[in-house]
Amino acid sequence: MSLNARSRVVTQGDQRSPNRAMMRAVGFRDEDFTKPIIGIANGYSTITPCNLGLNDLALQAEAAAKTAGLMPQLFGTITISDGISMGTEGMKCSLVSRDVIADAIETVCFGQSLDGLLAIGGCDKNIPGALIAIARLNIPAVFVYGGTIKPGHYNGQDLTIVSAFEAVGAYSAGKLSHEELLEIERRACPGAGSCGGMYTANTMSAVAEALGLSLMGSSTMAAESVEKAENAAESARVLAHAIEQQILPSAILTRPAFENAITVVMALGGSTNMVLHLLAIAHAARVPLSLDDFEAIRERTPVLADLKPSGRFVTIDFHQVGGVPLVMKMLLNQGLIHGNCLTVTGKTVAEQLTDIPDYPPEGQDVVRPWDNPVYPEGHLVILRGNLAREGAVAKVSGIKIKAITGPARVFESEEACLDAILAGRIQAGDILVIRYEGPKGGPGMREMLSPTSAIIGAGLGDKVGLITDGRFSGGTYGLVVGHVAPEAAVGGTIALVEEGDSVTIDAEQRLLQLNVPDDALAERRTRWQTPTPRYTRGVLAKYAKLVSSSSLGAVTDLDLLDA
């Protein structure tokens, strides 16, 4: 018998015949009304390679769900391709899409009173959007990742989408010919799947696995592989068991589970976006989580995986040597993750890891042994200071220096900063400040992959700093600080920075400081005015009105929930 209120009521006599009539039209037979009805949230789209293969996975899951005694109902969800919209005005819709996806999945599952949910996603915001919805709905649910793209190849090097962005900077700096630029562009993305390094999509798929909402070992599979199709089918079978046993997300998404996810991402060298998204997922799950929690976990967690963007290897390489389960087993053996956390399978994390090797395989360098990590501490540092009283996030992997003081080069948008870099107007020692790109000010908190990649391509990665109230792509590395809060649009100190001001970024001291006297800043504040909203109607206007600070996850229901 279906466990859901709507499913129960449609079996109770002729008063619900209209409901049954509608359901018969989509394939229900008499015996199907007693089965659990699940939604398959399908993010399939030809707009991005990340989601290109998702429909095949949805059909695999649908078939397996029917065999397992469920009644699956497919519905679509949206996606924005970050890699395609990057550097354009359209990128403002990227983070917005996370909340649109969450709202859409919640609306369908609640509106149709579904008994369970199997969500399938690929691109960056698909995953946190689905996980936010799962936390809100609190019905048995499993997430299926669409899988990672296989690397492209050129001149003996593995290529990812970030290779193309960095090639633009190298070409502009005269370090690459036009033909080489085109060859990299042609080869960087050879097929279906999400961007191939430990960028945001693969970081968040690892989060879903570490939280226990995806099956163990599934977060690093290639999109174009037999095992990924088998994973979709197995996920449907696991969901049937979760519905039977009523294994709910609220039992999985506990405070220890979030600590596990943060620890795993630190060990993998993952994306700064993890911070923003985990805060939002925890908010949806009503689990207390703050920026200070990320810093505490960073200090005790070494980086074990040598993965792009700052490392050498792609996600396919990581999968072949053991993937997330290997790293989790190493962390469990050191007492750094909670083995008693429940997973969607009904087993604990420790039970799931029983047969996983304790040590990385010999003859490979993708995952380092415990006594020889890539870095002794995590790579995502929470900075504070008068430039970020609520906090900011720095990514310090792959850089030679962790502190820099220099003159501010102030830009009111990503485009203006990129133009200056490509024109050769940025010098070693400069601190680039990109502002009014925050959740409200952008709106939408664009990722600054184009400027940061141009900096790397120009050979300035270890010579300049960059701070922004926007975000960074998971493909970004260098001495960069994002999520600066309060943001410029609400009067944060970043709005008061003037060209040539001395700015300090010190990841060792966890400091982000504008070296200007308080009285001078107070005088500047009297002259500052709240900017006119860039959008007054539509989705971006609604988002700007509702969105919270990035330090709280840039959620859109904070005041509504707390009112």
Side-chain angles (χ1 to χ4, degrees):
M1 174 68 71
S2 177
L3 297 166
N4 178 273
R6 170 67 58 80
S7 303
R8 285 196 301 268
V9 80
V10 298
T11 68
Q12 293 175 358
D14 293 338
Q15 73 272 23
R16 300 304 294 187
S17 289
N19 303 73
R20 295 199 303 270
M22 294 287 287
M23 297 165 84
R24 290 183 193 279
V26 297
F28 276 71
R29 299 164 299 178
D30 288 345
E31 61 270 25
D32 294 329
F33 292 109
T34 61
K35 298 175 182 177
I37 304 172
I38 68 161
I40 297 179
N42 182 7
Y44 167 71
S45 172
T46 61
I47 206 167
T48 171
C50 309
N51 291 39
L52 190 60
L54 299 192
N55 200 53
D56 292 338
L57 300 183
L59 296 177
Q60 290 279 347
E62 179 189 36
K66 288 180 178 179
T67 302
L70 306 176
M71 278 303 291
Q73 306 296 296
L74 277 73
F75 64 94
T77 62
I78 68 157
T79 194
I80 296 293
S81 173
D82 289 11
I84 295 173
S85 63
M86 197 75 68
T88 74
E89 190 81 354
M91 185 62 189
K92 293 180 178 180
C93 287
S94 170
L95 185 59
V96 175
S97 75
R98 180 192 75 180
D99 292 77
V100 173
I101 292 165
D103 292 349
I105 294 174
E106 179 188 10
T107 300
V108 172
C109 292
F110 185 78
Q112 301 303 134
S113 301
L114 298 178
D115 295 303
L117 169 65
L118 188 148
I120 306 177
C123 201
D124 294 8
K125 308 310 174 295
N126 298 179
I127 308 167
L131 297 184
I132 289 168
I134 287 170
R136 290 178 186 169
L137 288 161
N138 199 33
I139 59 176
V142 63
F143 180 80
V144 177
Y145 181 44
T148 186
I149 196 171
K150 294 178 181 178
H153 303 283
Y154 181 63
N155 279 349
Q157 299 293 317
D158 284 341
L159 300 180
T160 68
I161 183 60
V162 175
S163 306
F165 280 94
E166 291 178 0
V168 173
Y171 170 71
S172 299
K175 298 181 177 182
L176 203 66
S177 71
H178 188 258
E179 183 58 31
E180 289 173 313
L181 172 63
L182 288 178
E183 284 301 309
I184 291 172
E185 174 202 308
R186 291 173 182 136
R187 300 164 186 261
C189 297
S194 298
C195 299
M198 192 47 62
Y199 310 148
T200 300
N202 285 325
T203 296
M204 292 309 299
S205 69
V207 162
E209 184 174 330
L211 285 172
L213 287 172
S214 288
L215 302 193
M216 195 70 75
S218 66
S219 67
T220 52
M221 293 174 178
E224 297 176 324
S225 68
V226 172
E227 66 177 345
K228 177 44 68 177
E230 293 172 345
N231 167 244
E234 179 61 19
S235 295
R237 291 188 284 268
V238 166
L239 178 58
H241 178 259
I243 292 172
E244 180 183 358
Q245 298 298 317
Q246 279 299 281
I247 301 170
L248 300 179
S250 57
I252 297 170
L253 295 174
T254 61
R255 167 69 186 222
F258 281 96
E259 292 177 356
N260 284 354
I262 296 169
T263 303
V264 167
V265 173
M266 291 292 181
L268 298 183
S271 168
T272 54
N273 284 309
M274 172 273 293
V275 178
L276 192 75
H277 297 326
L278 272 177
L279 288 170
I281 298 163
H283 169 73
R286 299 174 183 258
V287 171
L289 195 68
S290 73
L291 287 177
D292 292 336
D293 297 317
F294 292 83
E295 180 60 27
I297 291 172
R298 180 197 70 82
E299 291 179 345
R300 63 177 183 253
T301 307
V303 177
L304 298 172
D306 190 11
L307 300 172
K308 289 180 180 291
S310 58
R312 294 178 290 165
F313 299 100
V314 295
T315 305
I316 293 295
D317 300 323
F318 178 45
H319 183 69
Q320 291 171 347
V321 302
V324 170
L326 170 63
V327 171
M328 290 186 72
K329 184 62 172 290
M330 295 170 68
L331 294 167
L332 179 67
N333 289 341
Q334 298 296 322
L336 292 184
I337 63 171
H338 305 278
N340 60 348
C341 288
L342 183 67
T343 72
V344 68
T345 66
K347 297 180 180 179
T348 66
V349 167
E351 288 170 338
Q352 291 270 278
L353 295 174
T354 298
D355 296 328
I356 301 299
D358 294 316
Y359 306 100
E362 295 183 359
Q364 58 82 42
D365 296 317
V366 184
V367 177
R368 299 278 191 88
W370 188 263
D371 58 0
N372 184 31
V374 181
Y375 305 106
E377 293 182 338
H379 63 300
L380 301 180
V381 183
I382 305 302
L383 306 183
R384 297 185 189 273
N386 68 353
L387 261 174
R389 297 192 186 281
E390 293 179 12
V393 183
K395 188 175 185 179
V396 299
S397 52
I399 59 174
K400 297 175 182 177
I401 58 171
K402 294 187 178 181
I404 184 173
T405 296
R409 303 295 308 279
V410 182
F411 303 95
E412 309 300 323
S413 70
E414 175 188 4
E415 290 88 348
C417 180
L418 180 61
D419 288 345
I421 297 167
L422 296 180
R425 299 199 303 270
I426 302 302
Q427 307 297 318
D430 287 345
I431 308 292
L432 285 63
V433 179
I434 306 177
R435 63 191 180 191
Y436 295 102
E437 291 283 7
K440 287 184 177 294
M445 207 177 178
R446 286 193 291 182
E447 294 178 347
M448 305 293 123
L449 180 59
S450 294
T452 57
S453 295
I455 288 169
I456 297 295
L460 294 170
D462 290 317
K463 301 179 178 68
V464 301
L466 189 153
I467 70 171
T468 180
D469 51 8
R471 297 182 295 128
F472 293 115
S473 162
T476 292
Y477 63 102
L479 191 56
V480 296
V481 183
H483 308 196
V484 171
E487 63 174 291
V490 299
T493 305
I494 191 172
L496 308 180
V497 181
E498 295 182 356
E499 186 79 8
D501 282 348
S502 173
V503 173
T504 295
I505 304 171
D506 191 335
E508 297 283 1
Q509 300 298 317
R510 302 194 296 278
L511 178 68
L512 185 62
Q513 188 76 12
L514 176 60
N515 301 311
V516 172
D518 289 344
D519 57 350
L521 292 178
E523 189 278 327
R524 291 181 189 181
R525 189 169 295 282
T526 64
R527 293 186 276 113
W528 181 81
Q529 295 182 344
T530 302
T532 302
R534 289 171 169 166
Y535 297 86
T536 57
R537 300 183 69 179
V539 66
L540 289 174
K542 288 190 288 185
Y543 184 85
K545 185 176 180 63
L546 292 173
V547 70
S548 75
S549 167
S550 60
S551 65
L552 300 173
V555 298
T556 54
D557 62 349
L558 182 67
D559 292 335
L560 299 174
L561 185 64
D562 295 342

